[in-house]
Amino acid sequence: MTGKVIEEARPRPGVATRPMAARSRYRLVERLIPILMITPSIIAIAVFVYGFIGWTTVVSVSRWQGIVPDLSFAGFRNYAALLTSYRFQSDIRNTIVFTVFFLIGSLSIGLLLAVLLDSKVRGESFFRTVYLFPMALSFVVTGTVWQWLFTPGAPGQPTGLNLLFEQIGLPVFQTWSTVSHVWPGGGWKPEWLRVPFGVPLAMIPVIIAAIWQMSGFTMAMYLAGLRAIPDELREAARVDGASEWQVFRWITFPLLQPVTLSAVIVLGHISLKIFDLIMTQTGGGPGFATDVPGIFMYETTFKSNKYAEGAAVAIVMLLMVSVLIVPYLIWRLRTETER
Amino acid sequence: MTSTGREHGREMTRREMLRRFLALGLALPGGTALLAACAGGQQPTPTTAAPTQPPAGQASPTAPTTGQAEDKLEIFSWWTNPGEADGLKALFDLFSQRRPGVEIINATVAGGAGTNAKAVLVTRMQGGNPPDSFQVHAGQELIGTWVVAGKMEPINDLFEQEGWNKVMPKTLLDQISHEGKFYSVPVNIHRSNMLWYNKRIFEANNLQPPKTVDEFYQVAEKLKSAGVTPLSVGGKDKFEVPHLFESVLLAVFGPEDYPKLFGDPGMWESDARIQEAIDMLDQFLSYANEDRAALSWADAAQRVIDGSAAMTIMGDWAYGYFINKGAQPGQVFGWVPAPGTDGSFLWLSDSFGLPVGAPHRNNAIEWLKVCGSREGQDAFNPKKGSIPARTDADKSKYDEYLRYSIERFAQDKLAPSVVHGAAANEAYMTAYNNALNVFSASRDKDQLKGMLIEAAKEL
């Protein structure tokens, strides 16, 4: 903010001394050049982002189900087919479960780690690196490694984490990743719903892997947020007799709200579009208990060659992410214009 | 913030801009050069094969009759594992003998019984960038996907010229033809309905390999009480349980009625034997390991030679896997047709076709000649662990199992595999696979039946 004052106060050398005509021509050029500069990227974005969104929308209401394009209008038949299919209903449930638990897990573990690191521990930078490190890995690596960890060995010969579960007397967890059980499942459900409500157990190992990978990143965000809180505020609270918990609860935590919001946006759009982690860790199985729209879209489009239906999945995914992103963008825009 | 940013931007633009323009100016020609280089590798030539390319420096002794020389051949497949990659290389070697100096581009995409490769292939074909020839399963995968879409060239001349239509079985020829025209050259035959068992476990428990379904149940019960997993099943590649089910369908319907299932969608709803097959699959799975979602077919097969499971039902590529793992056929493991399917041969065949717009069409045709030749098939198949599509193979080049299989192929009733693209189109395969993968985990029989009936709409 101090920079702003200086910028505005500094006179611009050369500008005021030029003759009027040259000056206005200069102004015009100066105005044109930025426009010229951004035109290529605007055109590129218009074509490659919005153009293709439009194209996908067109395909999603077409009859293009095969190698040969058929763009005749099919109405919302593809969407109807999706919404009534077992696999897609399962995908939507899984995405919601994954997003909710992944967000809660990453945010709480990230916050905890950040607060611990912020308490001026020795070797802070070492731990910071350690916690942040999983983020440097590709989701493919994470998925493969955690798949090995969770794979139950041959009967009676548990491997990986299952050995641990066996040792501590919880052999029931060994089959987590290979059963399609949904907890609690059962109960009442509407006629059109073909999949049981609840948390698919096989999703838990995937959520653990995702949290393992992204909580370090959340920690880094929170740590930056914590560092940005002026010490005076906390000091003042302490002088007023607040306990450390009260300082955290009523001073630190509220001031971290913008960080939380940013983290929710970043993590949320990762989880809504997740593909690589699940593809490598479970492949969407067992029986679509961990399947997500991203995998469905890929397989429908490129393995079954049902382009229209694949495009419809893509549009549904876009809408899901928009539900998260658009309010955020509006909020950002509003706060920015206020400023 | 924004206003400051703009002001600040204006301050720094002049010099910065010059630099950026320069950078852009440098980057653009470089980029176009790169693009040109990429495009150079796959120059599309018209289907009529006008000689657009300059002759290669080195003239080959067996110069093509058209007087045109092409310097490249791109072959697309999913053969990356040991055995199959060796077989492919043997074919390449034969091709290089005929056309020395032609550079062979081995475009392979690994994984998932070819499903990943097919996804890549579709995008390439859609983008008008076909390889010179690609691996495709004979049957609906070829006809329903590519031929109907007009993406393949008929190769009747080749079949007549090389006499292939006289040396390949009619059932197979039917699966590569559409409206009286041939569209691909089958290089091999695999058998889907095979049961592989651990000989030592069977001997230790005094058991005979099961021939009928009832015998299978008896054997499985005995093994179960002996503490051995009777049936080892994978599921990770999402085709293993569907694969098991096609053997079950064949056992229930027999080789005459089984193919009708994929021609008459109504049968899935009306025929009572569907329920019988579902019950049978359910019982098979009750003898199988619970952790199949975490195992690939190869992991499942490994358990059989390790001795932690007694049997697995898998195509005869499992034979190649066992051999590669150093297991002795006849000592460590043995084989019989899947329960209840003795006398039927559930086949699938890899073939190569000629895509419309193949960039090096002449080389592609020479490649197809290599693929269809007796010499080529006898070089490829012993390494790949499959049997030749030609019936006049030199049996001495094949080992024990393959000789057995060649014999069965000549005598048994043939039926096309559904999971491996012979019997039905890709959209049906996906729906069928989905249904069975859900069932593998849920074991909900009504749901399976519903999903199979729904899948049949894709037929």
Side-chain angles (χ1 to χ4, degrees):
Chain A
M1 291 303 127
T2 44
K4 182 177 179 179
V5 179
I6 294 168
E7 288 281 340
E8 278 172 359
R10 188 164 54 186
R12 292 201 210 124
V15 175
T17 51
R18 290 186 186 185
M20 270 322 255
R23 198 171 141 187
S24 69
R25 193 170 351 118
Y26 178 75
R27 279 255 154 125
L28 188 71
V29 171
E30 204 176 47
R31 202 171 284 209
L32 267 176
I33 283 179
I35 296 174
L36 282 176
M37 291 296 286
I38 60 166
T39 314
S41 66
I42 286 191
I43 293 175
I45 289 176
V47 173
F48 292 108
V49 177
Y50 297 99
F52 284 158
I53 289 176
W55 173 243
T56 308
T57 315
V58 170
V59 173
S60 77
V61 290
S62 75
R63 290 177 214 270
W64 186 358
Q65 311 277 43
I67 297 293
V68 187
D70 174 4
L71 290 176
S72 57
F73 185 66
F76 290 92
R77 171 195 309 187
N78 297 315
Y79 291 92
L82 273 190
L83 295 176
T84 52
S85 88
Y86 177 88
R87 184 171 181 181
F88 195 70
Q89 291 188 357
S90 167
D91 289 357
I92 296 290
R93 176 199 63 201
N94 298 342
T95 304
I96 294 169
V97 168
F98 181 78
T99 304
V100 167
F101 286 91
F102 170 63
L103 280 180
I104 294 175
S106 297
L107 291 177
S108 46
I109 292 177
L111 181 60
L112 182 73
L113 291 176
V115 169
L116 290 179
L117 281 186
D118 197 42
S119 59
K120 312 212 163 45
V121 285
R122 196 180 289 190
E124 185 217 306
S125 63
F126 171 73
F127 286 112
R128 203 172 51 208
T129 316
V130 166
Y131 294 141
L132 200 54
F133 208 65
M135 201 191 81
L137 295 177
S138 147
F139 264 132
V140 173
V141 175
T142 312
T144 310
V145 170
W146 281 89
Q147 189 232 326
W148 288 338
L149 287 173
F150 274 104
T151 298
Q157 303 160 348
T159 56
L161 278 179
N162 301 298
L163 199 58
L164 186 73
F165 291 134
E166 176 103 345
Q167 295 293 321
I168 59 173
L170 291 170
V172 62
F173 289 127
Q174 282 183 29
T175 48
W176 261 9
S177 55
T178 54
V179 293
S180 65
H181 186 69
V182 174
W183 185 87
W188 177 88
K189 62 178 184 181
E191 186 88 344
W192 50 269
L193 193 65
R194 301 175 65 184
V195 293
F197 273 131
V199 179
L201 292 186
M203 206 61 178
I204 297 172
V206 182
I207 293 169
I208 292 175
I211 292 176
W212 176 81
Q213 172 138 7
M214 293 311 287
S215 54
F217 168 72
T218 325
M219 173 208 73
M221 286 182 85
Y222 273 126
L223 204 54
L226 285 170
R227 298 278 149 89
I229 297 172
D231 267 342
E232 294 84 25
L233 289 174
R234 287 190 271 200
E235 279 307 314
R238 287 195 190 105
V239 170
D240 284 347
S243 70
E244 279 308 304
W245 167 247
Q246 281 173 321
V247 171
F248 178 77
R249 174 67 189 84
W250 299 107
I251 307 291
T252 313
F253 195 66
L255 284 172
L256 283 177
Q257 212 187 337
V259 178
T260 309
L261 188 67
S262 303
V264 165
I265 298 298
V266 172
L267 297 176
H269 95 272
I270 290 178
S271 80
L272 289 175
K273 294 189 298 190
I274 192 92
F275 174 82
D276 34 10
L277 176 73
I278 296 186
M279 195 71 185
T280 44
Q281 196 175 344
T282 64
F288 304 127
T290 62
D291 200 51
V292 285
I295 297 178
F296 185 34
M297 176 176 73
Y298 169 69
E299 294 194 342
T300 311
T301 316
F302 297 109
K303 293 190 177 171
S304 323
N305 302 328
K306 295 167 83 174
Y307 289 83
E309 212 172 301
V313 182
I315 295 297
V316 174
M317 278 175 76
L318 179 75
L319 292 177
M320 288 194 321
V321 179
S322 314
V323 167
L324 186 77
I325 301 284
V326 169
Y328 173 75
L329 289 179
I330 291 172
W331 174 79
R332 275 296 295 267
L333 210 63
R334 198 174 293 155
T335 45
E336 247 167 48
T337 44
E338 271 168 17
R339 247 185 255 172
Chain B
M1 279 305 266
T2 42
S3 63
T4 0
R6 206 174 296 139
E7 298 287 76
H8 184 70
R10 221 173 260 178
E11 283 297 313
M12 57 162 255
T13 39
R14 257 148 276 159
R15 204 184 302 156
E16 193 73 349
M17 219 150 46
L18 189 70
R19 206 181 292 158
R20 277 187 207 165
F21 270 130
L22 271 175
L24 200 69
L26 287 176
L28 268 180
T32 34
L34 201 70
L35 272 177
C38 293
Q42 299 125 355
Q43 272 178 28
T45 44
T47 51
T48 44
T52 50
Q53 284 173 320
Q58 189 183 357
S60 61
T62 53
T65 43
T66 49
Q68 162 195 0
E70 294 166 333
D71 55 351
K72 285 196 179 85
L73 170 75
E74 188 186 11
I75 300 299
F76 185 95
S77 76
W78 55 88
W79 285 328
T80 53
N81 288 328
E84 54 192 33
D86 300 336
L88 185 61
K89 185 162 179 304
L91 284 177
F92 286 164
D93 289 345
L94 279 175
F95 177 83
S96 291
Q97 281 171 23
R98 296 190 185 190
R99 290 274 171 100
V102 171
E103 183 196 342
I104 299 173
I105 303 164
N106 183 13
T108 50
V109 177
T115 45
N116 296 334
K118 286 176 214 165
V120 174
L121 179 67
V122 169
T123 37
R124 285 193 57 175
M125 297 285 280
Q126 293 272 6
N129 174 26
D132 293 313
S133 184
F134 60 86
Q135 178 187 0
V136 60
H137 285 136
Q140 277 302 309
E141 188 179 311
L142 168 74
I143 305 296
T145 305
W146 298 113
V147 174
V148 172
K151 300 277 185 188
M152 304 300 287
E153 273 192 62
I155 46 174
N156 280 30
D157 298 352
L158 263 180
F159 267 80
E160 276 184 20
Q161 192 184 322
E162 304 286 316
W164 292 333
N165 42 356
K166 296 188 193 78
V167 293
M168 291 182 190
K170 191 180 172 299
T171 346
L172 180 58
L173 290 175
D174 286 347
Q175 298 283 339
I176 54 162
S177 53
H178 180 64
E179 294 172 351
K181 287 181 181 142
F182 296 119
Y183 283 93
S184 76
V185 184
V187 288
N188 70 350
I189 300 288
H190 272 299
R191 187 175 187 181
S192 158
N193 59 323
M194 287 303 293
L195 181 144
W196 309 89
Y197 63 97
N198 182 310
K199 275 214 145 168
R200 288 175 188 149
I201 295 179
F202 271 66
E203 274 160 25
N205 291 289
N206 224 348
L207 295 168
Q208 290 299 313
K211 282 203 174 65
T212 65
V213 174
D214 288 332
E215 278 176 35
F216 174 81
Y217 293 157
Q218 286 160 17
V219 165
E221 284 296 339
K222 281 184 189 147
L223 287 165
K224 208 173 176 180
S225 50
V228 183
T229 308
L231 187 65
S232 184
V233 180
K236 198 173 150 204
D237 287 335
K238 295 188 193 166
F239 82 89
E240 295 89 340
V241 177
H243 182 106
L244 175 61
F245 190 55
E246 74 177 18
S247 283
V248 167
L249 283 174
L250 182 65
V252 172
F253 283 84
E256 272 84 30
D257 284 1
Y258 161 90
K260 290 181 195 158
L261 281 168
F262 309 105
D264 174 13
M267 265 175 90
W268 291 89
E269 197 158 5
S270 59
D271 201 308
R273 286 175 290 178
I274 293 287
Q275 192 59 46
E276 198 184 319
I278 291 172
D279 292 340
M280 194 183 283
L281 176 68
D282 191 49
Q283 191 153 354
F284 272 57
L285 288 179
S286 71
Y287 296 120
N289 48 311
E290 289 289 332
D291 61 347
R292 36 186 184 273
L295 303 184
S296 70
W297 70 267
D299 299 330
Q302 181 66 37
R303 285 193 182 168
V304 173
I305 48 173
D306 284 350
S308 62
M311 300 176 275
T312 188
I313 291 177
M314 185 40 65
D316 56 11
W317 44 93
Y319 178 77
Y321 177 82
F322 291 144
I323 298 288
N324 266 307
K325 289 285 170 177
Q328 287 294 316
Q331 287 178 32
V332 176
F333 70 95
W335 54 82
V336 284
T341 65
D342 197 8
S344 314
F345 195 109
L346 201 54
W347 64 268
L348 55 128
S349 167
D350 291 302
S351 70
F352 282 91
L354 184 61
V356 169
H360 313 98
R361 191 172 175 275
N362 276 337
N363 284 342
I365 288 174
E366 191 63 38
W367 163 255
L368 295 180
K369 285 184 189 166
V370 172
C371 289
S373 69
R374 191 177 140 179
E375 187 192 11
Q377 303 221 336
D378 281 347
F380 173 78
N381 285 303
K383 291 203 168 75
K384 162 84 167 123
S386 49
I387 64 169
R390 294 172 69 114
T391 46
D392 60 349
D394 177 1
K395 275 196 187 178
S396 67
K397 292 198 164 130
Y398 295 84
D399 61 14
E400 194 189 347
Y401 168 74
L402 294 176
R403 283 200 301 271
Y404 158 85
S405 188
I406 290 173
E407 207 168 280
R408 299 316 324 162
F409 185 63
Q411 290 172 17
D412 284 358
K413 292 219 163 64
L414 304 182
S417 154
V418 56
V419 181
H420 304 285
N425 63 45
E426 313 251 354
Y428 176 75
M429 272 164 66
T430 317
Y432 164 96
N433 282 357
N434 283 354
L436 284 146
N437 281 311
V438 170
F439 178 73
S440 167
S442 74
R443 301 288 286 283
D444 181 338
K445 294 193 228 175
D446 293 340
Q447 186 188 37
L448 174 60
K449 187 163 188 205
M451 288 181 85
L452 285 172
I453 291 169
E454 204 174 311
K457 289 178 195 155
E458 304 278 359
L459 283 167

